[in-house]
Amino acid sequence: MDINLMGFDVSAARHKPETIRHSEQACPFCDRANLTDVIATEGDMIFLRNKYNVIEGADQFVLIEGRACKSDMPAYTKEHMHALIRFGLRMWQELRESGRYEAVLFFKNYGPLSGGTIRHPHMQLVGLPHVR
Ligand SMILES: [Zn+2]
């Protein structure tokens, strides 16, 4: 069986900032005043549209987990972890109930081998209008 489930737009990916291997680059998620297409915030968490839509035909979103750039889940308080998962699930549910997508993915890619490009802790949500 040879089915291509998702197309990856390499040209869009080429322009993405990269702060994992190039830690000297400015972090776009720390520059909160210049974030665009913010959909919702809760405490220090921000849910917004991903500037770099690399999955063809899909709507991509980012959940910035907090202000700290060099932190991640093991360092979070129990309260922040609970608030983060609650907020993420609420955004996921809202996308699911919007009627625009056949499926909505909710995941976190972490570390240099994950294909991620931004060190600042974040998760991703992807709305797929059609699932092949
Ligand atoms: Zn940052």
Side-chain angles (χ1 to χ4, degrees):
M1 195 159 62
D2 185 19
I3 300 173
N4 187 21
L5 292 173
M6 277 186 211
F8 189 79
D9 183 348
V10 181
S11 64
R14 198 169 291 140
H15 303 289
K16 290 175 77 171
E18 212 282 45
T19 70
I20 291 179
R21 281 169 299 150
H22 301 100
S23 55
E24 76 286 354
Q25 280 197 10
C27 172
F29 294 168
C30 282
D31 187 11
R32 296 166 82 95
N34 286 310
L35 292 173
T36 55
D37 294 317
V38 171
I39 295 164
T41 61
E42 190 179 298
D44 282 347
M45 301 175 289
I46 303 175
F47 182 67
L48 70 163
R49 264 187 185 274
N50 193 329
K51 262 189 180 173
Y52 300 92
N53 237 55
V54 296
I55 300 172
E56 289 167 358
D59 288 338
Q60 292 182 244
F61 304 89
V62 174
L63 197 175
I64 300 173
E65 297 173 21
R67 281 183 190 275
C69 198
K70 296 205 163 63
S71 182
D72 219 300
M73 285 180 174
Y76 296 168
T77 62
K78 191 168 144 187
E79 291 71 27
H80 183 65
M81 196 64 215
H82 287 181
L84 175 63
I85 297 301
R86 251 196 324 269
F87 184 50
L89 287 176
R90 186 156 58 81
M91 295 301 103
W92 176 71
Q93 193 66 31
E94 283 183 16
L95 291 175
R96 289 190 54 182
E97 289 170 357
S98 71
R100 298 195 303 267
Y101 309 111
E102 198 174 325
V104 181
L105 312 178
F106 179 22
F107 62 95
K108 179 175 174 81
N109 52 348
Y110 174 80
L113 301 179
S114 71
T117 52
I118 302 289
R119 169 66 187 85
H120 198 122
H122 64 284
M123 292 191 270
Q124 302 191 50
L125 287 88
V126 180
L128 300 167
H130 307 288
V131 178
R132 280 179 251 180

